[in-house]
Every structure is written in structure tokens, then in C-alpha cells.
Amino acid sequence: EQEHGTAVVTTTPTVPYRLELGDGSEPVEISRATDMPMERRIGTIMEPTVIATIITPAQYTGRVLQLCSERRGELLEHLVLAAPGSSQQ
């Protein structure tokens, strides 16, 4: 989607994945699915994760939570910050 008239560039992600092979050999790190060692048994595939803090105006909270959920995000904590001078705690 375009936001504020900006152009969107779509690329294939190239993040490192660590593979633990089923034969007990040293873990292998790959950056593309085409590098997957198909001839060997894979025990575990680990991908990078991020723990993030997102601060957004209240009117966008629902949409931001939905977007995170659609992208396999896990909500660890949800806080509502009080506006300066409000009685909310």
C-alpha cells in the first residue's frame, strides 16, 4: 500500500536463517530459501525475531494490533498511556 504518496518497493526478504541439521553437524546459516540443503535432514529452522515497543495514538491502536497479528506478531503487553493533564492512570 502507498502511504502519503510514497512509492512501495517489494523485495524478497534476505534475512539469515539458522538450520540445525538432523545429523548433529554444525548449524548452517542461509539467507535464501534456494540455499536450503534439500539433500540433508533438517532438525530445526530458526529465524530472526524482534521485540519491539510500538507507541501510537489511541485511534490507531486497533489497526496496529491487527497488522502485527497478521504478520505473526505476539502481543506481550498492552498499555494505554495517559495524556498530560488527564485523570487516567
Side-chain angles (χ1 to χ4, degrees):
E1 291 180 32
Q2 291 187 4
E3 184 175 333
H4 304 291
T6 60
V8 177
V9 177
T10 304
T11 62
T12 303
T14 55
V15 296
Y17 289 86
R18 176 167 280 190
L19 309 175
E20 290 182 352
L21 304 173
D23 60 8
S25 60
E26 288 293 314
V28 176
E29 195 167 284
I30 64 168
S31 296
R32 298 180 308 238
T34 56
D35 295 336
M36 192 76 66
M38 301 306 281
E39 70 283 353
R40 297 173 74 183
R41 182 181 170 99
I42 299 170
T44 305
I45 300 176
M46 295 174 277
E47 63 181 318
T49 60
V50 173
I51 296 177
T53 300
I54 301 171
I55 301 173
T56 186
Q59 71 254 31
Y60 302 119
T61 301
R63 181 65 183 120
V64 168
L65 291 175
Q66 179 184 358
L67 182 65
C68 290
S69 176
E70 290 170 356
R71 303 298 191 271
R72 298 187 306 156
E74 295 180 26
L75 179 64
L76 301 178
E77 184 176 22
H78 179 208
L79 300 173
V80 177
L81 303 176
S86 74
S87 61
Q88 193 179 36
Q89 293 191 21

